Amino acid sequence: MKLTLKYAGFALLVLLGIIIAFAPVDKMADRNTVSAETLIEELHNKQVYIQPDQLAHWIINDDPGYQILDIRNTEDYSQYHIPGNVHLPFEKLAKEKLEGLLNPYKITVLASNGNSKAAQAWVLLRQMGFENVYILRGGVNYWVDVFNSPQKPDATAANDEIFRYQFRKSAGDVMMGKQVVEQPQEKAEVEAPEPIKRIRRPQKKSFDEGC
Amino acid sequence: MAPFYKFGFFGEQTSFILALLIGISFGFWLERAGFGNSRKLALQFYFQDMTVLKVMFTAIVTAMIGLMYLTLFGWIDISKVFINPTFLYAQAVGGIVLGIGFAIGGYCPGTAVVGASTGRIDAYLFILGALFGMVVFGETFPLFENFFYAGEMGQVRLTDIINLSTGLIGLLIILMAVGMFLGGEWLEKKFRKEPAV
């Protein structure tokens, strides 16, 4: 066999392969690659919060692309929780448990009592590799405020605000888990049924990558 | 550091321009390698011209070695690199269908576009056929929907299935590629009747 360029190339390939077989590739690949600075910057600059109204729209529309993770303790959870969610107390947030519970392709909305616990959980989840994680603004407390007793805007308020109030009022019963009873006299008060707008998801645009 | 787009080194618009440039050069080199010629492509199914096999394995091995060494130097975050999710049964059947189409038509979808860019009529017909097939598939999708997701495994790599380190699998793939190159040439010598087109 003559030593041609071809066989020299094969030899080089095999040599590169032998080096890589003994090199710690896995160790280098498994590093925690989301740095703390990036995460803090994202928390401050990027929109990681979701408004209750938007989440309510998703629930009403039966949007298949989201999941709610409730991180309050079991006592609070059994008292009230947002319809259709996954529960795991903050203390038990571990990668192994979350991987069974959450679908990594969906948007995860974190619900806590306020913002701070949820922000901590947000950092944890991002470091575990979940990418589309958002925080429910104000947590479950604010959610209950919004839908249990929405504040009536002034008569001079902008249309947007009146619409929002009507939406909150009409969605409230379902969100709070009350039995919805037909109340014909109340119907007169509602001027026009609010058209349900598809709200654009704040999901990062993911390209359909690949061939 | 890399992948550059995911780490925000450039924005969406820039990424489109880069994608266009990379795509043009991909098509150009496919054409230069002779992949715009359906006869050359079809000859591989008769073991007479194994260029496609060699080019594919060269691409696989080059990309693999590059990714592994860049990971080793800490220059690329492999977890951010997109991997197509695996649907084992659906993709196995899809591969067979694609192979049959490839052997009949002499093109795969990408090379059909390459062939069309140099004005080959069979490539235009192939693209029309492919578009027709897409419409049929799209309209009858509910029939296949269950099978479309059959054998879902998520975004897995070989290391996740056979419990070997990434580097060792790299070596095995390289040995396999060298074997494919030598085996391909052996087949060519045995079956080739006329010089490749």
Side-chain angles (χ1 to χ4, degrees), chain B residues 28-142:
Chain B
F28 177 79
W29 291 112
L30 273 184
E31 211 289 321
R32 289 291 79 206
F35 279 26
N37 185 338
S38 56
R39 283 186 215 163
K40 188 183 176 77
L41 292 170
L43 277 180
Q44 73 172 314
F45 294 103
Y46 307 94
F47 302 127
Q48 292 184 25
D49 186 333
M50 304 304 279
T51 313
V52 176
L53 185 91
K54 287 191 247 174
V55 169
M56 288 311 289
F57 263 92
T58 309
I60 290 169
V61 166
T62 309
M64 185 191 70
I65 293 178
L67 279 173
M68 283 187 182
Y69 274 90
L70 289 176
T71 307
L72 190 61
F73 300 152
W75 289 348
I76 197 164
D77 178 357
I78 203 87
S79 65
K80 287 254 193 308
V81 176
F82 178 82
I83 313 173
N84 274 316
T86 302
F87 297 91
L88 189 62
Y89 306 122
Q91 284 169 348
V93 173
I96 292 170
V97 173
L98 183 96
I100 294 171
F102 200 158
I104 296 172
Y107 286 112
C108 79
T111 54
V113 178
V114 171
S117 70
T118 54
R120 289 176 196 272
I121 293 163
D122 59 347
Y124 281 104
L125 287 175
F126 188 94
I127 291 174
L128 278 180
L131 288 173
F132 176 71
M134 283 178 213
V135 172
V136 171
F137 177 76
E139 292 298 324
T140 56
F141 180 68

Side-chain angles (χ1 to χ4, degrees), chain A residues 13-52:
Chain A
L13 269 182
V14 174
L15 182 69
L16 283 173
I18 290 172
I19 294 173
I20 208 79
F22 289 100
V25 182
D26 288 317
K27 223 169 122 192
M28 293 299 286
D30 278 346
R31 285 168 312 147
N32 237 342
T33 39
V34 195
S35 71
E37 291 93 56
T38 347
L39 288 180
I40 288 168
E41 202 184 301
E42 268 186 54
L43 254 184
H44 281 286
N45 298 341
K46 290 202 179 172
Q47 208 194 350
V48 297
Y49 291 99
I50 271 186
Q51 296 293 343

